[in-house]
PDB file of all heavy atoms in Angstrom:
ATOM      1  N   SER A 144      -5.569  -1.369  -9.454  1.00 91.00           N
ATOM      2  CA  SER A 144      -5.824  -2.705 -10.004  1.00 91.00           C
ATOM      3  C   SER A 144      -4.548  -3.299 -10.583  1.00 91.00           C
ATOM      4  O   SER A 144      -3.900  -2.691 -11.434  1.00 91.00           O
ATOM      5  CB  SER A 144      -6.885  -2.626 -11.104  1.00 91.00           C
ATOM      6  OG  SER A 144      -8.132  -2.251 -10.568  1.00 91.00           O
ATOM      7  N   ALA A 145      -4.188  -4.495 -10.110  1.00 90.00           N
ATOM      8  CA  ALA A 145      -2.969  -5.148 -10.594  1.00 90.00           C
ATOM      9  C   ALA A 145      -2.962  -6.607 -10.172  1.00 90.00           C
ATOM     10  O   ALA A 145      -3.594  -6.986  -9.179  1.00 90.00           O
ATOM     11  CB  ALA A 145      -1.724  -4.455 -10.049  1.00 90.00           C
ATOM     12  N   VAL A 146      -2.244  -7.425 -10.926  1.00 89.00           N
ATOM     13  CA  VAL A 146      -1.962  -8.809 -10.551  1.00 89.00           C
ATOM     14  C   VAL A 146      -0.599  -8.825  -9.884  1.00 89.00           C
ATOM     15  O   VAL A 146       0.389  -8.324 -10.448  1.00 89.00           O
ATOM     16  CB  VAL A 146      -1.974  -9.723 -11.794  1.00 89.00           C
ATOM     17  CG1 VAL A 146      -1.554 -11.140 -11.418  1.00 89.00           C
ATOM     18  CG2 VAL A 146      -3.360  -9.724 -12.429  1.00 89.00           C
ATOM     19  N   LEU A 147      -0.496  -9.379  -8.671  1.00 83.00           N
ATOM     20  CA  LEU A 147       0.728  -9.296  -7.871  1.00 83.00           C
ATOM     21  C   LEU A 147       1.758 -10.343  -8.273  1.00 83.00           C
ATOM     22  O   LEU A 147       1.536 -11.154  -9.172  1.00 83.00           O
ATOM     23  CB  LEU A 147       0.380  -9.403  -6.387  1.00 83.00           C
ATOM     24  CG  LEU A 147      -0.574  -8.326  -5.856  1.00 83.00           C
ATOM     25  CD1 LEU A 147      -0.795  -8.486  -4.362  1.00 83.00           C
ATOM     26  CD2 LEU A 147      -0.070  -6.933  -6.182  1.00 83.00           C
ATOM     27  N   SER A 148       2.901 -10.336  -7.556  1.00 82.00           N
ATOM     28  CA  SER A 148       4.105 -11.031  -8.015  1.00 82.00           C
ATOM     29  C   SER A 148       3.948 -12.545  -8.168  1.00 82.00           C
ATOM     30  O   SER A 148       4.159 -13.097  -9.259  1.00 82.00           O
ATOM     31  CB  SER A 148       5.269 -10.724  -7.067  1.00 82.00           C
ATOM     32  OG  SER A 148       4.960 -11.077  -5.738  1.00 82.00           O
ATOM     33  N   ALA A 149       3.598 -13.245  -7.078  1.00 80.00           N
ATOM     34  CA  ALA A 149       3.535 -14.700  -7.147  1.00 80.00           C
ATOM     35  C   ALA A 149       2.408 -15.171  -8.064  1.00 80.00           C
ATOM     36  O   ALA A 149       2.572 -16.117  -8.841  1.00 80.00           O
ATOM     37  CB  ALA A 149       3.367 -15.287  -5.747  1.00 80.00           C
ATOM     38  N   VAL A 150       1.263 -14.515  -8.006  1.00 86.00           N
ATOM     39  CA  VAL A 150       0.142 -14.858  -8.885  1.00 86.00           C
ATOM     40  C   VAL A 150       0.509 -14.597 -10.339  1.00 86.00           C
ATOM     41  O   VAL A 150       0.193 -15.384 -11.240  1.00 86.00           O
ATOM     42  CB  VAL A 150      -1.121 -14.059  -8.501  1.00 86.00           C
ATOM     43  CG1 VAL A 150      -2.233 -14.265  -9.521  1.00 86.00           C
ATOM     44  CG2 VAL A 150      -1.600 -14.471  -7.113  1.00 86.00           C
ATOM     45  N   GLY A 151       1.194 -13.492 -10.588  1.00 89.00           N
ATOM     46  CA  GLY A 151       1.593 -13.150 -11.949  1.00 89.00           C
ATOM     47  C   GLY A 151       2.500 -14.180 -12.587  1.00 89.00           C
ATOM     48  O   GLY A 151       2.396 -14.458 -13.794  1.00 89.00           O
ATOM     49  N   GLU A 152       3.392 -14.777 -11.801  1.00 90.00           N
ATOM     50  CA  GLU A 152       4.282 -15.808 -12.351  1.00 90.00           C
ATOM     51  C   GLU A 152       3.513 -17.065 -12.728  1.00 90.00           C
ATOM     52  O   GLU A 152       3.943 -17.821 -13.597  1.00 90.00           O
ATOM     53  CB  GLU A 152       5.381 -16.144 -11.337  1.00 90.00           C
ATOM     54  CG  GLU A 152       6.374 -15.019 -11.122  1.00 90.00           C
ATOM     55  CD  GLU A 152       6.950 -14.497 -12.437  1.00 90.00           C
ATOM     56  OE1 GLU A 152       7.808 -15.198 -13.029  1.00 90.00           O
ATOM     57  OE2 GLU A 152       6.544 -13.406 -12.881  1.00 90.00           O
ATOM     58  N   ASN A 153       2.373 -17.277 -12.094  1.00 91.00           N
ATOM     59  CA  ASN A 153       1.541 -18.437 -12.430  1.00 91.00           C
ATOM     60  C   ASN A 153       0.571 -18.153 -13.563  1.00 91.00           C
ATOM     61  O   ASN A 153      -0.020 -19.080 -14.122  1.00 91.00           O
ATOM     62  CB  ASN A 153       0.756 -18.895 -11.194  1.00 91.00           C
ATOM     63  CG  ASN A 153       1.654 -19.531 -10.151  1.00 91.00           C
ATOM     64  OD1 ASN A 153       2.610 -20.218 -10.492  1.00 91.00           O
ATOM     65  ND2 ASN A 153       1.360 -19.291  -8.885  1.00 91.00           N
ATOM     66  N   ASN A 154       0.385 -16.879 -13.898  1.00 94.00           N
ATOM     67  CA  ASN A 154      -0.533 -16.516 -14.985  1.00 94.00           C
ATOM     68  C   ASN A 154      -0.003 -15.259 -15.667  1.00 94.00           C
ATOM     69  O   ASN A 154      -0.523 -14.156 -15.455  1.00 94.00           O
ATOM     70  CB  ASN A 154      -1.942 -16.290 -14.439  1.00 94.00           C
ATOM     71  CG  ASN A 154      -2.993 -16.260 -15.544  1.00 94.00           C
ATOM     72  OD1 ASN A 154      -2.684 -15.978 -16.711  1.00 94.00           O
ATOM     73  ND2 ASN A 154      -4.246 -16.530 -15.189  1.00 94.00           N
ATOM     74  N   VAL A 155       1.017 -15.439 -16.478  1.00 95.00           N
ATOM     75  CA  VAL A 155       1.688 -14.312 -17.127  1.00 95.00           C
ATOM     76  C   VAL A 155       0.732 -13.580 -18.078  1.00 95.00           C
ATOM     77  O   VAL A 155       0.741 -12.351 -18.160  1.00 95.00           O
ATOM     78  CB  VAL A 155       2.943 -14.786 -17.873  1.00 95.00           C
ATOM     79  CG1 VAL A 155       3.554 -13.641 -18.696  1.00 95.00           C
ATOM     80  CG2 VAL A 155       3.974 -15.320 -16.884  1.00 95.00           C
ATOM     81  N   ALA A 156      -0.093 -14.327 -18.783  1.00 95.00           N
ATOM     82  CA  ALA A 156      -1.011 -13.701 -19.742  1.00 95.00           C
ATOM     83  C   ALA A 156      -1.963 -12.741 -19.035  1.00 95.00           C
ATOM     84  O   ALA A 156      -2.206 -11.626 -19.504  1.00 95.00           O
ATOM     85  CB  ALA A 156      -1.785 -14.773 -20.497  1.00 95.00           C
TER      86      ALA A 156
END
Side-chain angles (χ1 to χ4, degrees):
S144 294
V146 175
L147 301 183
S148 57
V150 172
E152 291 308 285
N153 289 324
N154 194 337
V155 173

